[in-house]
Amino acid sequence: MYKLFLVEDEDIIRTRIRDNFDWEKYGFQFSGEAPDGEMALSLIEEVKPDIVVTDIKMPFMDGLQLSKLLKKQMPWVKIVIISGFSDFEYAKQAISVGVSEYILKPVKPTELAECLNKIKNQLDDDKKNIIELEKYEKTFQENLEILKERFLLETVMYGKTPAEIIEKAYSLELDLRARYYSVVVVRIDDNDLNEGHREYLETLKIEALIKTLISESRNILSCSNKIDETILIVFGDDAGLIESLTQNLADEVTSQGKSLISARITAGIGKICERLSDLKISYKGAVKALDFNFIFSEREVIAEEDISHLRIDNSGLKGINSARLTEFLKFARVEGIDDFLESYLSPLQSLYTTRGVFLRYTYINTILTASRFVEDLTGVAEETISAMKSLESDLTEIIDMRSLKIKISEILKSTLEFRCSRNFSKYQVQIEHAKHYIESNFQNPGLSLADAAGVANFSECRFSTIFKQETGYKFTEYLTKVRLAKAAELLKTTTKQAAEISEDVGYNDSHYFSYIFKKVNGITPTQFRDGIG
């Protein structure tokens, strides 16, 4: 219902118009009246009506003067002029000011009804247009944020020419022009997170923290590489300020994050660069710094500068511990050995640890870890790992990083092959049963690791380990994969809303469903259905 305000200096006419017209019948609420423009102005500003009906000739401030002021202060207000025959030319002037309609005196109810109906239709159209515009603006902004994030990710991870970066940034309303740049990578240790909603909630908390910390800075942009990693791009014209800003930002995120989540948060800082096209170099440096996390276990922020001139003694090799190697042996495949060793042995590349004692220490540590792993699978280490029979001679052959890598690669290959041979025949049937159960019951929001483990006749802990070994997925990763595949099918083949599909595939929380869908696919369910991206 639209609000209407009446301005008329003649009491009799004003009363007749006010009392003899059924306002509600035509969709209006009579919201006030005044005898002249001067008195009306302050009341109108307070009431904020949609329509003002005003006489044109009044004392103190006439209708034309009032209309001019209203169109400046409240341009959305529709104005109807009431005019006597002798005031017709004056009325035409009012229309040039922006008055919507005019009615000749004496005012007849039928004419007033016809006039107000016409204006009501205009207001309805205006309202629809505003809603459509707001909807379009919201969609545009959502898509713009997605495009910005993709652009920033592509820039830091794969690189572009300066011209390409500047041109694309301009089209996305981003100003990246500066003299210096640096990248900070914030990572949540997903090994510390529980499965399911907790991972989602803890990630949201850190994302919210980062948004708060950078909200007032135009020189910091963020994007998410994956669910547990956020990339921050810091830029400006003062190298010293950039260095200070990146360090403070990393310190704040990791220190404040401790009070928000239980998982460990670490941050890597890349070197400062002077070209936009070198952002990928700074990014790689930040990631490289994080790869030293298992050496600097007591530190939460590691800068690339910290590792470029690093010197350690024997105690520093504690960072190359058996836990990371054991994780690899549990879940990896033979094809992944080279990539793993590239990362696992990378700390030795830039340190003064290429002396024989450190290389041999790493080799012995690998043999001991692998032998314990084999024995845990009820195997015989000496039969599986041939290096155990030739340890003394092998140690004399390890003289550099290349020889160390070859020897360790042989150990890992034989250990992984042993694991696969033990698991394939022994657990394949149970795991296939569990997979079938998941694919048949994924619609159940309460489907849990315990349910699947029960089908396979394993304890939850044992099932979790074997399922990852056999499928390459954690339980929740596989469940999410099945659910999102079905969701994608429903989005493309039905007209159901995202909230309905969310329930159909086992998510009670449609916001969580949209979040996971976007994290995995890079776009929202609605954008997937519309073919965006």
Side-chain angles (χ1 to χ4, degrees), residues 29-44:
Q29 173 190 341
F30 190 89
S31 58
E33 60 183 283
D36 60 67
E38 183 179 359
M39 293 185 66
L41 188 60
S42 60
L43 293 173
I44 289 171

Side-chain angles (χ1 to χ4, degrees), residues 194-200 227 434-435 438-439 441-445 447-449 452 467 471 473-489 491 501-502 504-507 512-522:
N194 286 342
E195 298 170 337
H197 251 65
R198 184 181 170 197
E199 180 181 17
Y200 164 65
I227 198 168
K435 287 169 63 178
I438 293 168
E439 290 161 5
N441 295 276
F442 66 88
Q443 303 93 336
N444 176 11
L447 182 60
S448 67
L449 177 67
F467 189 88
T471 66
Y473 295 99
K474 295 179 182 178
F475 167 78
T476 50
E477 290 174 341
Y478 190 82
L479 178 58
T480 299
K481 175 175 174 286
V482 172
R483 283 173 168 169
L484 294 189
K486 185 61 178 178
E489 177 187 333
L491 285 166
I501 293 175
S502 170
D504 288 347
V505 299
Y507 293 100
Y512 177 61
F513 164 66
S514 295
Y515 175 87
I516 291 297
F517 193 98
K518 181 183 175 184
K519 279 294 181 183
V520 173
N521 297 302

Side-chain angles (χ1 to χ4, degrees), residues 271-300:
K271 288 182 180 178
I272 294 174
C273 58
E274 297 183 10
R275 296 181 183 275
L276 276 168
S277 54
D278 288 339
L279 276 171
K280 65 176 182 179
I281 298 175
S282 184
Y283 168 72
K284 288 180 179 178
V287 172
K288 182 179 178 182
L290 282 174
D291 286 341
F292 279 73
N293 179 41
F294 58 90
I295 285 183
F296 297 102
S297 56
E298 78 287 353
R299 294 175 59 176
E300 293 162 338

Side-chain angles (χ1 to χ4, degrees), residues 150 521 523 527 531-533:
R150 285 188 182 177
N521 297 302
I523 53 177
Q527 290 161 343
I532 298 174

